[in-house]
Amino acid sequence: MIYLDHAAATPVSKKALTAMQPYFADDFFNPSAAYLPAKKVRAAYEDAKSTIAHCVGAKNNDLVITSGATEANNLAFSLIKKKCLVLATEHDSVLNVAKNYNYEEIAVLKNGLVDLNDFKKKLSADVELVSVALANNELGTIQPLAEIASLIRAERERRLAAGDKTPIFLHSDASQAMNLLDINVSRLGVDLLTVNSAKVYGPKGVGALYLSHDVRLKPLIFGGGQENGLRSGTENVAGVIGFATAFREAKEHLNGNRKKYEKLVKILRDELKKGTVEPIFLGSTKHQLANFCPVSFPGLDAERLIFKLEEAEVYVSTGAACAASKGQKSHTLAAIGLTDEEIAGSLRLSLGELNDEENIKQAAEIINRVVKEEYERRK
Ligand code: PLP
């Protein structure tokens, strides 16, 4: 098989798997228990949490471990009393929680980058949270978070000068960026940051929310008071250790990864250009994660392409896996102004550890064949 859907899921790395193994049946103790073996488990858990924190330039106690990015995103929004702004292309786990609050969407430009003029217009005095993903999950677009953070800082200062105590914070979902970008909360200027084990070759069902000291959240889950009372429930020790191991590994390979994927995506694009239907490469190829190759074959039906590619054991998706499985039109592709025909013919190809030059060339050849067959069927 050729797997081109690393934005949907990544296989757990061998190192992460090995690191997790002892914590299932041997060191299985509840980290909150009082005896020595349990205390050792607590120490291993806290150590792993520190590793995750360090990977984003934070401290251990600035993190809340969650059941994944969805929960971390939901928790971030719990600080809102008045209003929030979210980028129109956010993942459903941001957009759908925002809908429970007074919210507005910030427009994006045709290349998927935030429309800063629209943002400035909507940055009103009652906005308490702005949520913009570091990199988009369908287009791989990398947003200028530092610029957004600086506009938010100016608004904070304006409020301070006016004696207005309404706080304002910047949240970013970094789920897709962790393999390719050197994430540092201070450099990005974010107050809250979501990270996701499942996208970085760690186990699924684990994530974390970084929060700066002045952020006050309301827990979504009540119970034994774990994670400083912000996320009760017995700790997912093995999961967090797997996440920490995988995240550290990814951090060590950032540069190598970027070079590898830049080369592979170039090969993929060049090969696809030789096909029957001229592909449109989506988003800003300049401000894009190196492993992303979102592409549209206008006039074709991506659902059929996926089905035919699956027959040839090439696995790709149309945009976000969750939207695709429900047959919905991508809100992200609509937000960048693609026509219905362009959206209908769009595939998200996302590369990762399972790819090399040989299987990328093979995949391109198969995609070109399937596209040609579909094009001829429609004539
Ligand atoms: N945010 C982004 C950008 C994602 O790509 C995903 C997963 O697809 C999520 C959040 C949700 O992650 P999870 O399903 O692990 O909670």
Side-chain angles (χ1 to χ4, degrees), residues 7-8 67-71 73 91 93 135 137 173 175-176 196 198-199 205 322:
S67 67
T70 300
E71 188 190 331
N73 287 340
H91 187 267
S93 59
N137 58 297
D173 179 350
S175 293
Q176 292 291 345
N196 187 347
K199 312 291 183 188
C322 32

Side-chain angles (χ1 to χ4, degrees), residues 253-285:
H253 296 118
L254 283 180
N255 286 339
N257 274 349
R258 202 172 46 246
K259 283 189 194 126
K260 170 181 164 180
Y261 299 128
E262 270 168 9
K263 185 172 169 209
L264 293 183
V265 165
K266 181 170 185 322
I267 294 172
L268 185 55
R269 287 204 182 108
D270 288 348
E271 291 301 313
L272 293 180
K273 281 185 207 157
K274 295 178 192 161
T276 313
V277 178
E278 194 179 339
I280 305 175
F281 296 108
L282 308 176
S284 157
T285 47

Side-chain angles (χ1 to χ4, degrees), residues 52-57 113 132-137 139-146 172-185 187-188 190 193-196 199-201 243 246-259 261-262 284-292 351:
I52 298 168
H54 287 146
C55 285
V56 298
L113 285 167
V132 175
L134 177 52
N136 178 263
N137 58 297
L139 296 166
T141 312
I142 303 166
Q143 298 295 344
L145 277 193
S172 183
D173 179 350
S175 293
Q176 292 291 345
M178 301 159 68
N179 291 305
L180 276 309
L181 302 183
D182 188 13
I183 297 168
N184 179 292
V185 288
R187 231 181 300 127
L188 292 173
V190 294
L193 184 93
T194 293
V195 284
N196 187 347
K199 312 291 183 188
V200 74
Y201 302 88
F243 179 16
F247 200 178
R248 186 171 45 207
E249 245 184 307
K251 239 5 220 193
E252 285 162 6
H253 296 118
L254 283 180
N255 286 339
N257 274 349
R258 202 172 46 246
K259 283 189 194 126
Y261 299 128
E262 270 168 9
S284 157
T285 47
K286 193 166 158 219
H287 303 277
Q288 194 164 48
L289 291 176
N291 66 327
F292 265 67
L351 279 55

Side-chain angles (χ1 to χ4, degrees), residues 59 107 136 156 169 212 223 228 230 262 271 280 321 346 378:
K59 288 201 220 85
N136 178 263
R156 208 175 271 147
F169 298 112
S212 69
N228 291 324
L230 283 171
E262 270 168 9
E271 291 301 313
I280 305 175
S346 291
R378 294 196 57 156

Side-chain angles (χ1 to χ4, degrees), residues 13 47 72-73 97 112 135 148 156 162 169 209 256 292 304 365 375:
S13 81
D47 198 40
N73 287 340
V97 65
I148 296 169
R156 208 175 271 147
F169 298 112
L209 181 67
F292 265 67
R304 281 188 59 91
E365 200 182 305
Y375 177 75

Side-chain angles (χ1 to χ4, degrees), residues 60-246:
N60 181 7
N61 50 8
D62 297 341
L63 278 196
V64 182
I65 298 293
T66 63
S67 67
T70 300
E71 188 190 331
N73 287 340
N74 275 255
L75 185 58
F77 278 68
S78 72
L79 69 82
I80 301 164
K81 294 193 187 83
K82 294 181 181 168
K83 188 175 176 182
C84 57
L85 295 180
V86 297
L87 199 63
T89 53
E90 289 303 297
H91 187 267
D92 276 345
S93 59
V94 166
L95 273 188
N96 286 338
V97 65
K99 287 176 187 164
N100 294 303
Y101 299 90
N102 178 12
Y103 87 109
E104 259 191 295
E105 289 183 11
I106 309 164
V108 290
L109 305 170
K110 278 197 170 308
N111 60 7
L113 285 167
V114 56
D115 180 340
L116 286 171
N117 286 328
D118 191 56
F119 174 50
K120 284 182 211 161
K121 257 190 270 162
K122 289 176 177 160
L123 192 55
S124 54
D126 50 355
V127 171
E128 290 170 307
L129 186 72
V130 178
S131 187
V132 175
L134 177 52
N136 178 263
N137 58 297
E138 287 184 54
L139 296 166
T141 312
I142 303 166
Q143 298 295 344
L145 277 193
E147 266 180 77
I148 296 169
S150 118
L151 290 168
I152 289 177
R153 254 193 318 276
E155 171 61 12
R156 208 175 271 147
E157 279 158 22
R158 190 200 61 74
R159 288 182 193 181
L160 205 67
D164 177 353
K165 292 207 173 75
T166 312
I168 179 163
F169 298 112
L170 174 59
H171 166 248
S172 183
D173 179 350
S175 293
Q176 292 291 345
M178 301 159 68
N179 291 305
L180 276 309
L181 302 183
D182 188 13
I183 297 168
N184 179 292
V185 288
S186 311
R187 231 181 300 127
L188 292 173
V190 294
D191 306 291
L192 302 105
L193 184 93
T194 293
V195 284
N196 187 347
S197 163
K199 312 291 183 188
V200 74
Y201 302 88
K204 294 174 186 59
V206 193
L209 181 67
Y210 155 81
L211 48 142
S212 69
H213 299 291
D214 40 355
V215 172
R216 299 282 169 269
L217 299 176
K218 287 203 228 76
L220 307 176
I221 294 171
F222 296 89
Q226 290 90 343
E227 302 298 314
N228 291 324
L230 283 171
R231 208 297 181 174
S232 287
T234 301
E235 292 86 346
N236 178 358
V237 177
V240 169
I241 287 171
F243 179 16
T245 309

